[in-house]
Amino acid sequence: MSTIDLLSNLNIQQQQAVMAGLGPVLVMAGPGSGKTRVLTQRVAYLISSMGVRPYHLLAVTFTNKAAREMENRVIDLIGDNMRGITLGTFHAICARILRREAEHLPFNSNFVIFDADDQVNLVKRAILDLNLDEKRYRAPGVHAAISNAKNELILPDEFPTRTYRDEVTKRVYKRYQEMLLTNNGVDFDDLLLWTAKLLEENQAVREKYARRFEHILVDEFQDTNLAQYRLLKYLASFHNNIFVVGDTDQSIYRWRGADYRNVLRFEEDFPDSQVILLEQNYRSTQIILDVAMAVIDRNPYRTPKHLFTERGLGDKVTLHETYDDRVEAAFVVDTITSLIKRQQAQPGDF
């Protein structure tokens, strides 16, 4: 596919992002602005127009579904020319690296990944092993604290202790890790933690992957945690070609460690980065965008965007105050059902 064909269905801002030159690029994409399209077309552009070999590309997403969608879109654009690209979720890519580099790690290459239930059960066993009251120190809560620590790249010996509960959590965390390693196992957070530590502490391994991946592309960057950010920084340390797409206004995964401040860290760590805004919305009417911006503009820690659409002004917004979230959800469902029954709208309109 020629460059002209590749760019023909993109607006000016999207074209600017897809054709951005070398070096770090931060694409701040408003909701419904076609960020997945930009990311996939950027991959296709690098391969077909800039001559980058797929083997030297790393594209990271947050879900397996998103990874499959990106892969299918790239195949539609350039066919089998994408063979060899490393594309997947953070966890899948880290698992691959850890299996290859197991000789540098405290577990074997055939390690087992403990699922969510196994992790909580193992924490429960650690609590019992330490003769602690499992009703006072409930396994799900202790596990959440351990998970947060791992997302911040904090190992058991480094766990901060300001209260007695912190002291207990530290002891359980240490025992939990010992039991994982005894079983040649890791949890989901370990996939990120061990890979980040490996790249940080082993210069030869870090350089091997940093030299290999000439271009790194990241979707939903606003939902990365500190461990994921460090990983990206290490992997981009040689070529410095890192292309991230995200929007701090859409960060919704704080509960699992997502840190919108990574956008600020990116601008500090890559001061020469290009910042490109995607402001044309393809999903909503202008009134909906104006109302949304009126709310989010009150947040001082954000990059201002001026969202616009060609879908028209649209109906005025109705403000409906409810007693709680359940009543709110019921109101939304009832409104949608009513409009569909009266044939004033289709399900796909919502």
Side-chain angles (χ1 to χ4, degrees):
M1 177 178 282
S2 70
T3 301
I4 294 175
D5 292 335
L6 199 60
L7 303 175
S8 62
N9 63 342
L10 303 178
N11 64 43
I12 298 298
Q13 291 176 321
Q14 291 173 332
Q15 289 181 11
Q16 184 185 358
V18 169
M19 294 193 300
L22 301 178
V25 180
L26 172 60
V27 180
M28 299 296 286
S33 61
K35 64 180 185 299
T36 303
R37 176 191 294 178
V38 165
L39 205 62
T40 53
Q41 309 241 136
R42 172 69 173 177
V43 172
Y45 178 79
L46 289 171
I47 295 171
S48 63
S49 298
M50 293 185 68
V52 179
R53 289 174 55 203
Y55 176 78
H56 295 299
L57 283 175
L58 169 65
V60 190
T61 65
F62 266 84
T63 65
N64 291 318
K65 180 182 177 183
R68 286 193 299 271
E69 182 180 346
M70 187 186 298
E71 183 176 7
N72 291 334
R73 288 196 189 190
V74 175
I75 290 173
D76 287 343
L77 291 169
I78 59 173
D80 286 342
N81 288 341
M82 71 163 288
R83 288 184 182 278
I85 187 173
T86 301
L87 190 159
T89 64
F90 275 97
H91 292 88
I93 290 167
C94 285
R96 220 175 298 168
I97 291 174
L98 293 177
R99 292 197 193 280
R100 286 183 190 143
E101 308 299 335
E103 63 185 290
H104 307 292
L105 299 163
F107 43 81
N108 300 328
S109 60
N110 61 340
F111 60 81
V112 178
I113 301 173
F114 280 51
D115 65 22
D117 290 339
D118 290 336
Q119 293 168 37
V120 173
N121 288 334
L122 200 62
V123 169
K124 192 178 292 185
R125 280 178 51 195
I127 290 170
L128 293 174
D129 281 0
L130 295 169
N131 294 317
L132 297 166
D133 184 351
E134 63 175 321
K135 292 182 179 178
R136 185 176 179 187
Y137 302 105
R138 296 191 175 277
V142 177
H143 176 260
I146 293 171
S147 178
N148 289 336
K150 290 186 177 185
N151 287 332
E152 295 289 320
L153 298 177
I154 298 171
L155 294 170
D157 290 340
E158 303 158 353
F159 191 88
T161 52
R162 289 177 289 273
T163 65
Y164 179 69
R165 188 173 187 84
D166 291 340
E167 290 276 1
V168 171
T169 302
K170 180 175 183 175
R171 289 165 57 201
V172 176
Y173 181 10
K174 188 170 185 177
R175 179 66 185 137
Y176 171 71
Q177 283 301 99
E178 289 171 353
M179 294 167 78
L180 278 173
L181 294 178
T182 299
N183 288 282
N184 195 40
V186 298
D187 61 24
F188 291 119
D189 298 314
D190 279 333
L191 295 173
L192 305 176
L193 173 70
W194 285 114
T195 308
K197 291 290 184 184
L198 173 67
L199 296 177
E200 178 185 8
E201 297 168 3
N202 192 309
Q203 183 179 349
V205 174
R206 180 173 68 249
E207 285 193 5
K208 178 169 78 171
Y209 289 97
R211 285 174 180 270
R212 173 185 169 179
F213 296 125
E214 294 178 12
H215 290 268
I216 297 169
L217 303 97
V218 188
D219 195 13
E220 305 290 4
F221 181 68
Q222 78 280 351
D223 287 327
T224 53
N225 58 36
L226 182 62
Q228 290 161 331
Y229 179 78
R230 289 274 181 85
L231 276 169
L232 295 170
K233 189 177 173 184
Y234 294 141
L235 291 171
S237 60
F238 187 80
H239 296 286
N240 214 37
N241 294 324
I242 180 167
F243 183 98
V244 303
V245 181
D247 181 12
T248 51
D249 297 344
Q250 299 180 70
S251 182
I252 59 173
Y253 289 113
R254 187 71 188 93
W255 56 272
R256 72 175 186 195
D259 191 345
Y260 70 91
R261 291 173 299 180
N262 284 344
V263 173
L264 305 178
R265 291 187 180 110
F266 186 92
E267 293 180 292
E268 290 173 3
D269 291 337
F270 301 98
D272 58 337
S273 62
Q274 299 180 62
V275 179
I276 300 170
L277 302 181
L278 300 186
E279 297 172 302
Q280 182 172 352
N281 179 286
Y282 291 90
R283 186 185 300 153
S284 306
T285 57
Q286 191 62 50
I287 281 182
I288 288 177
L289 297 179
D290 292 344
V291 170
M293 287 299 100
V295 174
I296 202 66
D297 276 343
R298 295 173 181 268
N299 178 6
Y301 307 107
R302 63 185 293 272
T303 301
K305 290 185 291 295
H306 304 285
L307 300 182
F308 68 94
T309 184
E310 295 178 354
R311 292 174 61 89
L313 199 60
D315 296 334
K316 287 186 177 181
V317 170
T318 300
L319 180 63
H320 182 82
E321 189 172 354
T322 61
Y323 177 72
D324 60 18
D325 58 331
R326 291 175 179 270
V327 180
E328 176 187 40
F331 171 77
V332 171
V333 171
D334 291 343
T335 302
I336 292 172
T337 304
S338 175
L339 288 169
I340 292 172
K341 279 184 177 178
R342 296 201 304 267
Q343 297 186 334
Q344 291 179 269
Q346 297 295 320
D349 296 331
F350 299 95

